[in-house]
Each structure stands twice: as structure tokens, then as C-alpha cells.
Amino acid sequence: MSAAQRRRLNPLSQETESDDSGILNECVLLLVFESIKWDLQVLCLTASVNRKLRAIAKRLLWRKLCVYRAPRMVSALVNGSPSGRIGGGWDALAKLMFFCCGCESTRNFKLSRSSPGHFAGASRFSKTSGRSFLTKKCRTDLLFVSDPCEHPVGDKEDDLGIYRGVFRGFLRSNTRACLIGRQVAFDDRVRCPYCGTRVWSMTAARLVPKSAARRLGSRDGRLEYFVCVNGHLHGTCWLVPLSSEEENCEEVEEEEDEDEDGGDFNGEAYKKHEKVTNGTGSRSSLMF
């Protein structure tokens, strides 16, 4: 019997064998991505090839990427369990870690024009920064927040700061309990840019402490942020230009926060991918 005849008689075994070989083999994929240091551009392109690779990326590869790029932050978010679950999924966390979501006007934060999303060249998340976004009753929650991504708007306006963050175990958090207890309604216009779920406006809920504006380098009342049901935070603020004296104070604070950082990742691969997406985020959102 020829090889062609055997293939016709047993097509199922051939399909099973081919599905477990080459690029669809998880062991092979892990070795490939480890060898290229979990290049984000390659992972995005891999996840966009077909449904099978997208499913493997969603179940395995995005988690491995997050662990590789920010091991301390991920360990804290999953309480040290490497196979722990993340609200909204690992693909949403990966997008939050590496993608600035941009900004459009909201009910409490008006812009002359929208600012598009883009892959961040580098990101730094800190739980020290996160504490500045928690009210006194919620200080036992664990929240990581990034430094604001600066977006120039115009000569006559302050720069726009766009930031993002993530809670650990948001379903059991005091912040969520406070929102539920106050019967705060979901915002009817905004959705989470990372997982697509509904969000609460912390401004509308009056849960924005003054320490948040100080931490961002803004002024009280000139910021807004949202938290989704999965614990993803995203927000905007107007950044106040710093004097040289204030910049020196900020450097000292950063040195003191060094042990508190959850992630500080360089973005050479992300800069390359930003050229591919042309900074719009339209294609990049499909790849996560």
C-alpha cells in the first residue's frame, strides 16, 4: 500500500499527528519564545495567524509573557501561584502591561481632541503608586499603577497623562465592596479598553483621594479614572509642568519606591510593533 493510500484510509490520525507537531506543538512554541525572549511583536503576530494559535496564546503564551516581563508583579497578583487565574484573562493583563489605551472625552474629563492608543515603549508599575489611588478604607487592597504616559496636546494646554493599573483579587477587594455598598452605577458610555467589560467611574463614585493627583503630578479635580469589574484601572489627568526642584524630589521618591516596583520593562520590541500598528491600536487590539 502506498503512502497516499494510507493517508486516504486514515485521515483522522494524520490530522491528529499534524496538529501536535511543528508550530502547534506547545513545547516547541515555548522553546521558540524563550529563545527570542518573549518578543511581543512576534507573539501578537502568532496569535493572529489562526484560531488554534490564538487559543494557545490565550491559554498559555500570554501568561508566560507576563511572568517573563514582570515576575514580581505577577507573583503578587496571583499570590505566588504560577498557575493562578487573573481577572479578565492573561491576554487582557498583557495588553494592560504594554499598551497605552489612549483617551476620549468623558462626562467628567473634556478634551479638545481624542488621543489614540499605542504600544508603550517602556512601562513601570508600582504598588506604592497604587496605594495613592486608594481611599483610607481601601488601603488593604493591592493595586499596581503605571507612571502616566505623556501625550502633548497643544502649546496652550498642559500635557495629557494616561495611566493604567490592575487590582489583585478585585472580586474580594474593599474597593469593590465600597462601590457595591454605595450602589454606584456603571458608566453608560465607557468600557474597559483591556477586557471590554463595564466600568465604574471613580470620580462619579467620589472615591478619588487627593493623593492620586499628587502622585501623578496633577492637581485635584483634574483627573478621572475608571475601574472595571475585572479590576483593570485606566484613567487620564492633566500634568502640571514640574520645576527643577520638584523633579529632584520626584527622583528621591522613585529611589525610595524601588523595592515596591512590580514591573519595569524595556520596550524595544514594542517600539517596533508600534511602527507596524501606526500608533492607532486598531490592529493591535485584534492581536491580543
Side-chain angles (χ1 to χ4, degrees), residues 114 136 185:
S114 61
K136 290 182 179 180

Side-chain angles (χ1 to χ4, degrees), residues 87-206:
W90 289 99
D91 53 336
L93 179 62
K95 187 174 182 180
L96 185 145
M97 288 168 61
F98 304 114
F99 187 75
C100 170
C101 62
C103 177
E104 296 182 353
S105 289
T106 63
R107 185 179 288 108
N108 299 304
F109 196 92
K110 302 300 181 182
L111 293 170
S112 57
R113 57 186 175 87
S114 61
S115 183
H118 63 92
F119 275 80
S123 297
R124 174 182 176 272
F125 286 79
S126 168
K127 58 186 178 184
T128 302
S129 297
R131 280 198 292 268
S132 300
F133 288 75
L134 300 172
T135 60
K136 290 182 179 180
K137 292 182 179 180
C138 303
R139 286 289 170 87
T140 56
D141 292 345
L142 179 61
L143 169 64
F144 287 92
V145 173
S146 72
D147 292 336
C149 179
E150 298 182 17
H151 291 233
V153 176
D155 296 335
K156 297 182 180 180
E157 296 181 272
D158 293 335
D159 285 349
L160 178 67
I162 302 176
Y163 49 95
R164 57 213 192 270
V166 58
F167 280 84
R168 177 178 70 184
F170 184 68
L171 287 176
R172 300 181 300 277
S173 68
N174 291 323
T175 299
R176 181 180 181 274
C178 192
L179 289 165
I180 299 299
R182 294 187 179 191
Q183 298 183 336
V184 179
F186 289 118
D187 191 284
D188 56 359
R189 300 179 182 179
V190 180
R191 291 274 179 165
C192 177
Y194 299 108
C195 66
T197 57
R198 305 190 72 178
V199 300
W200 290 281
S201 167
M202 303 302 278
T203 304
R206 298 182 179 179

